[in-house]
Amino acid sequence: MILQPGLDNEQVEGFFERLAAARFSALLLDYDGTLAPFRQEPAEAVPYPAVPPLLAKLTAASTSRLVLVSGRRAKDLPPLLGLHRHPEIWGSHGKERLFSDGRYELVEISPVSQQALDKARRRAAAAGLQDWLEEKPGCLAVHFRGRDPKRVRSVEGDLVTWWSAAAEEGGLSLHSIDGGYALRTRDRDKGDAVVAVLREMQEGALAAYLGDDLTDEDAFEKIPEGGLPVLVRSEQRPTAARAWLRPPDELVDFLKKWIEVTCRP
């Protein structure tokens, strides 16, 4: 395990010691860039090969609550995971909730925000970016990964201008993401999903959150004292996380350690 400055191996070992003694705990995981490598085609972004069996064991036998928190639509993840029973999933940056038993909840999007998102989509499509767009509840994203760099440079400035205007008009927020931009409503983010999950648990529940993207910073900041926010990424960057794992090997080792500590024999 590679660690951020200020967090040494003894502190990580101490976290797992606390986890072993904890009556209640939660493991919260981002998907793209964390459990699965990025792909230009989202439908091709399957998890690292060793990950699904570990998630299956965590879902079936762990005393911890396992939750995926993703920017994707919640219903897009189960087919990619390929599990007999998928864990609880919070999608669209916390605006959707898909339970393991199939129940589904969606935060209502205000008409003003939706109109601004629709306008931003039409403007980007008119510029020839239709195939670069991803639409989700309360969110519109443009992905530059795998696109011609010259074309990206030619459209990026105008896109930011258009979407900044849409953000102001519709009460939205514009975010730089890994390989593009996202225009989102301000009512929910991944940090809100973390807070909601922990609020439903017993006070003092121990939690870890693993993520890679700038959108995961909201979640890192909401992990309570004693918990462990972990950056999963090939290279370090400024972050609120207190530990750093390089995928896939160190990620897999972390999941195996969690299983060792929390799964019933």
Side-chain angles (χ1 to χ4, degrees):
M1 184 180 299
I2 308 298
L3 304 174
Q4 287 286 68
L7 187 68
D8 57 34
N9 282 309
E10 290 185 0
Q11 288 177 282
V12 174
E13 292 169 3
F15 170 79
F16 277 110
E17 290 174 2
R18 294 194 299 276
L19 180 63
R23 291 185 60 197
F24 305 100
S25 60
L27 177 58
L28 301 106
L29 305 168
D30 171 51
Y31 184 78
D32 289 285
T34 302
L35 300 182
F38 285 109
R39 294 286 186 265
Q40 182 173 337
E41 294 298 330
E44 297 176 359
V46 297
Y48 295 109
V51 166
L54 297 175
L55 296 183
K57 190 162 187 179
L58 284 165
T59 300
S62 177
T63 57
S64 290
R65 182 174 176 179
L66 179 64
V67 182
L68 301 191
V69 183
S70 175
R72 284 187 186 240
R73 287 179 177 269
K75 293 182 179 179
D76 288 347
L77 290 185
L80 294 173
L81 294 169
L83 302 177
H84 176 67
R85 181 180 176 84
H86 65 75
E88 176 183 349
I89 299 170
W90 289 70
S92 300
H93 302 278
K95 295 177 180 64
E96 300 177 280
R97 187 178 189 182
L98 179 63
F99 295 86
S100 295
D101 61 9
R103 287 178 295 132
Y104 175 79
E105 297 176 354
L106 174 64
V107 173
E108 185 177 357
I109 309 301
S110 75
V112 172
S113 293
Q114 189 60 57
Q115 289 169 11
L117 287 166
D118 292 341
K119 183 177 180 179
R121 174 183 49 76
R122 291 193 299 268
R123 191 69 184 268
L129 304 181
Q130 181 63 48
D131 293 340
W132 300 19
L133 298 177
E134 179 186 11
E135 292 186 75
K136 297 167 286 189
C139 178
L140 181 66
V142 60
H143 298 286
F144 296 153
R145 189 177 290 105
R147 305 296 180 179
D148 176 54
K150 184 177 180 179
R151 172 69 171 145
V152 171
R153 289 193 298 271
S154 72
V155 301
E156 185 173 6
D158 286 340
L159 181 81
V160 170
T161 298
W162 302 332
W163 282 18
S164 295
E168 183 174 353
E169 179 181 330
L172 307 172
S173 56
L174 179 61
H175 301 266
S176 175
I177 60 176
D178 201 342
Y181 293 92
L183 191 61
R184 303 202 312 260
T185 58
R186 296 174 179 172
D187 50 356
R188 292 289 179 92
D189 59 33
K190 290 182 177 181
D192 294 315
V194 170
V195 170
V197 168
L198 295 180
R199 185 182 294 129
E200 294 176 350
M201 301 181 68
Q202 293 290 330
E203 185 175 355
L206 197 63
Y209 183 98
L210 278 61
D212 73 296
D213 205 342
L214 293 174
T215 62
D216 294 306
E217 293 297 320
D218 295 320
F220 292 155
E221 293 173 356
K222 295 302 170 81
I223 294 299
E225 184 70 26
L228 191 66
V230 183
L231 180 68
V232 180
R233 190 179 174 89
S234 297
E235 299 178 352
Q236 289 196 51
R237 61 165 173 78
T239 179
R242 296 195 295 273
W244 172 39
L245 303 177
R246 289 180 294 194
D249 292 344
E250 292 173 356
L251 165 70
V252 169
D253 288 345
F254 185 94
L255 296 178
K256 287 180 177 178
K257 180 66 175 178
W258 198 285
I259 287 171
E260 177 186 331
V261 170
T262 67
C263 281
R264 297 182 291 271

